[in-house]
Amino acid sequence: MTIPDSTTDVPGTASDRPHVWQSTWRPAEGARSIDLRYLERDPRTTHRPYFDPVLRLAAGHRRFDEKLRLLDVGCANGAFVRHVLEQQPRWDVSGIDVLPELVDAASAAVPGAHFSVADICAPSSLPSERFDVVTALTIPSHFDTLDVWLPNLLGLLAPGGTAVLYGPLNPSPVDLICRLRYAQEDGNGNVNGNGDGEWLPGWNVISQQTYDSFLKGRARSWACHYLPVADLGYPAGDPADGLSSRVVPTSDGQRLGNASGLTYHMACLEIHL
């Protein structure tokens, strides 16, 4: 059985098929315009309960008063960076993001940190400095494979450093590559996408086994910490944004999900060089 490509193999033209929406499937790398929604959120009042377990793992077994250099990859509006500075004011904290608009907003809202525009998939754009701790919150699900970004992230660590990743993780040995879009209709009943004609990456669920295989020989040790959904601070009801995560009851306990029907475990992956 041959599955037709959505843009070339279905008979007829787009005008002949008003309910077939043409789109391109692009590699999950680079900026997502949907992330500009963080400009509408004030990092001074934005707090996620997973900030605390991430920070505890970031501190590790070091002295509480030790000054560490931390970099947050995909810092968005700077909410987590601000949280780190509030809890660890002696730390030297930085953030990078691929969207200049978010970097500008974070710089204005969190003046005690350092922010710059960089793409974790483009090594030449990354800071030359090495850090004791590197964090990446939710962005691991933005990429289809680990090799396009994780080696670059580990390369930002100083010897003996710690990386803490937070996002969807599958305890079963199955990887999921996913794209979602907002389904809308115009006045003529034609199906449109989210404005730029592309499916959105950001809900990939890579397995713990895939991380284990990738990190062998690249890290000294690592551990997965599956966080109780009730402690993560996501709503149990349907948020206004259908693609936003919410608590979803399942047969094996609560997971997160969204209006697509997708459900996923959320976990912290702690990596030591």
Side-chain angles (χ1 to χ4, degrees):
M1 176 181 178
T2 300
I3 300 176
D5 179 88
S6 63
T7 60
T8 59
D9 294 337
V10 179
T13 66
S15 59
D16 296 331
R17 296 173 282 110
H19 292 284
V20 175
W21 180 61
Q22 290 186 308
S23 67
T24 57
W25 178 287
R26 65 174 177 84
E29 302 173 25
R32 305 185 315 167
S33 59
I34 189 177
D35 290 326
L36 291 174
R37 60 187 173 179
Y38 286 102
L39 294 174
E40 303 171 3
R41 305 173 187 178
D42 187 346
R44 293 167 293 190
T45 57
T46 300
H47 177 77
R48 295 288 184 266
Y50 58 79
F51 285 0
D52 291 318
V54 168
L55 184 54
R56 285 195 297 269
L57 292 172
H61 301 293
R62 301 176 189 259
R63 298 195 321 271
F64 183 77
D65 62 347
E66 186 174 355
K67 183 176 181 179
L68 300 180
R69 298 160 296 169
L70 180 144
L71 175 69
D72 186 35
V73 175
C75 62
N77 63 1
F80 177 67
V81 168
R82 180 179 177 84
H83 177 75
V84 174
L85 285 174
E86 289 176 345
Q87 300 299 313
Q88 300 286 359
R90 296 188 68 251
W91 287 18
D92 185 358
V93 185
S94 303
I96 60 172
D97 201 281
V98 72
L99 290 170
E101 298 91 336
L102 291 178
V103 170
D104 289 343
S107 298
V110 193
H114 316 283
F115 295 96
S116 59
V117 178
D119 182 351
I120 194 61
C121 295
S124 62
S125 73
L126 298 175
S128 58
E129 181 184 357
R130 294 299 175 259
F131 301 85
D132 302 302
V133 179
V134 176
T135 57
L137 310 186
T138 73
I139 69 163
S141 66
H142 292 195
F143 307 105
D144 293 346
T145 63
L146 301 181
D147 61 287
V148 298
W149 67 279
L150 189 50
N152 300 333
L153 185 145
L154 296 177
L156 291 166
L157 286 171
T162 299
V164 182
L165 316 179
Y166 171 77
L169 190 68
N170 192 358
S172 299
V174 175
D175 297 328
L176 169 70
I177 301 301
C178 182
R179 299 291 190 276
L180 300 178
R181 69 175 175 92
Y182 296 103
Q184 300 173 337
E185 290 188 359
D186 62 19
N188 299 318
N190 297 323
V191 177
N192 296 313
N194 59 296
D196 61 3
E198 291 186 327
W199 292 79
L200 295 168
W203 295 268
N204 293 333
V205 186
I206 303 301
S207 69
Q208 180 177 332
Q209 179 171 310
T210 293
Y211 273 102
D212 289 344
S213 298
F214 189 87
L215 290 171
K216 289 179 180 177
R218 290 184 168 94
R220 173 170 51 87
S221 63
W222 59 93
C224 298
H225 308 273
Y226 290 90
L227 306 181
V229 170
D231 299 337
L232 293 179
Y234 291 93
D238 292 343
D241 183 351
L243 298 187
S244 293
S245 295
R246 79 290 306 271
V247 175
V248 178
T250 61
S251 59
D252 64 344
Q254 289 184 323
R255 302 186 194 181
L256 294 184
N258 55 38
S260 71
L262 177 69
T263 64
Y264 34 88
H265 297 279
M266 299 295 278
C268 287
L269 178 59
E270 174 188 10
I271 305 170
H272 298 280
L273 287 191

